[in-house]
Amino acid sequence: METLLSSHSLSSPFFNPKPNFPPPSIHLHKPIVTCSTSSTLKKQTLTPVKPSSAKPTNWLVHAQQGIAALALSLALSFTPVTANNALASEFDVINEGPPKDAYVVDDAGVLSRVTKTDLKNLLSDLEYRKKFKINFITVRKLTSKADAFEYADQVLEKWYPSVEEGNNKGIVVLVTSQKEGAVTGGPAFVQAVGESVLDATVSENLPVLATEEKYNEALLSSAKRLVAAIDGLPDPGGPTVKDNKRESNFKTKEETDEKRGQFTLVVGGLLVIAFVVPMAQYFAYVSRK
């Protein structure tokens, strides 16, 4: 007996346990290079530029951050001097001791280079000839002592602890914020200068010129006055106190009363005009009817 097998039966899963699926195709994406000048090529050639623009942007951001940090550090370094800094500077002058190659400690920063040179030449010549050494100190303000005299005595005792060391030494202090100064020294220095010149220097040269903010002239004139006294020369004197009395801007009672009468007259005239003129216009308008 023949068994007829149709094409449909041969293709059944019993005879073909593995279906004949088409083999999977592998698509490799390769850049398409054409020579056409279409808009598609333009888009493809422009898109790779976008990732490269991220690097300059990141570099610019880092540069801006670095500049901002530098500006902040510079701003902090140039901040005004606070009370703590002034206090530390005040004690630094005492703890550092007398200057070795100079005669000036300009902690306030108010002296010019020319003034420092002139003081050095004048005071070094005095020390060479008379064996007297004078140190000039400028500070902005005092927080540890009540006045410049106490601070000057403290500097003298700290710099020259014994009487022998400070016998022929002098200290001149100028406080710029308080516009005052002080002169102190050892017994030999005070005797050589004289009480009158010391008092005149403290009451004339230092405060008068410091009030006018002429700090260079205040110290230089004081130095010349002290050196002249030690050398036995005539006193060059100090600056004259200027009369800074200002005229008052207030009016006297008579001027006030006179101005008040004129003001009352003007205001009264304006009020009369404001009431009379509209009433006159109204009556003229009614009379025409």
Side-chain angles (χ1 to χ4, degrees), residues 89-238:
S89 177
E90 177 184 345
F91 285 107
D92 286 343
V93 173
I94 299 176
N95 296 328
E96 288 178 0
K100 297 180 180 180
D101 299 331
Y103 297 83
V104 180
V105 179
D106 186 22
D107 182 70
V110 295
L111 300 181
S112 64
R113 184 179 300 178
V114 176
T115 301
K116 293 179 181 179
T117 303
D118 293 341
L119 287 174
K120 182 179 180 180
N121 295 333
L122 181 63
L123 299 176
S124 61
D125 179 71
L126 175 68
E127 185 179 9
Y128 177 77
R129 294 184 296 102
K130 298 293 184 177
K131 306 304 178 183
F132 284 96
K133 183 176 182 180
I134 308 176
N135 293 303
F136 285 77
I137 302 172
T138 64
V139 293
R140 292 185 179 88
K141 63 180 180 179
L142 298 177
T143 57
S144 62
K145 297 298 179 181
D147 54 18
F149 288 97
E150 294 185 11
Y151 182 72
D153 291 336
Q154 184 181 9
V155 173
L156 182 64
E157 295 175 359
K158 183 68 176 180
W159 286 5
Y160 310 105
S162 63
V163 179
E164 292 77 11
E165 292 178 350
N167 186 34
N168 57 347
K169 303 298 191 302
I171 300 294
V172 180
V173 175
L174 177 63
V175 184
T176 58
S177 62
Q178 300 174 6
K179 311 298 182 184
E180 66 175 5
V183 181
T184 187
F189 172 80
V190 174
Q191 184 179 0
V193 176
E195 293 290 341
S196 60
V197 176
L198 291 175
D199 294 339
T201 303
V202 173
S203 60
E204 296 175 3
N205 296 77
L206 295 177
V208 173
L209 296 174
T211 303
E212 300 176 1
E213 296 186 354
K214 297 179 180 179
Y215 305 115
N216 294 273
E217 185 178 352
L219 294 188
L220 189 58
S221 63
S222 299
K224 292 179 179 179
R225 197 167 190 177
L226 296 175
V227 171
I230 295 175
D231 288 335
L233 300 176
D235 184 14

Side-chain angles (χ1 to χ4, degrees), residues 49 84 106 121 124 140 146-147 154 175 179 210 243 245 252 260-261 273 277 281 285 289:
V49 181
N84 294 331
D106 186 22
N121 295 333
S124 61
R140 292 185 179 88
D147 54 18
Q154 184 181 9
V175 184
K179 311 298 182 184
D243 187 8
K245 185 179 180 180
T252 61
R260 183 179 299 172
I273 294 174
V277 173
Q281 292 178 351
Y285 176 75
K289 292 185 176 181

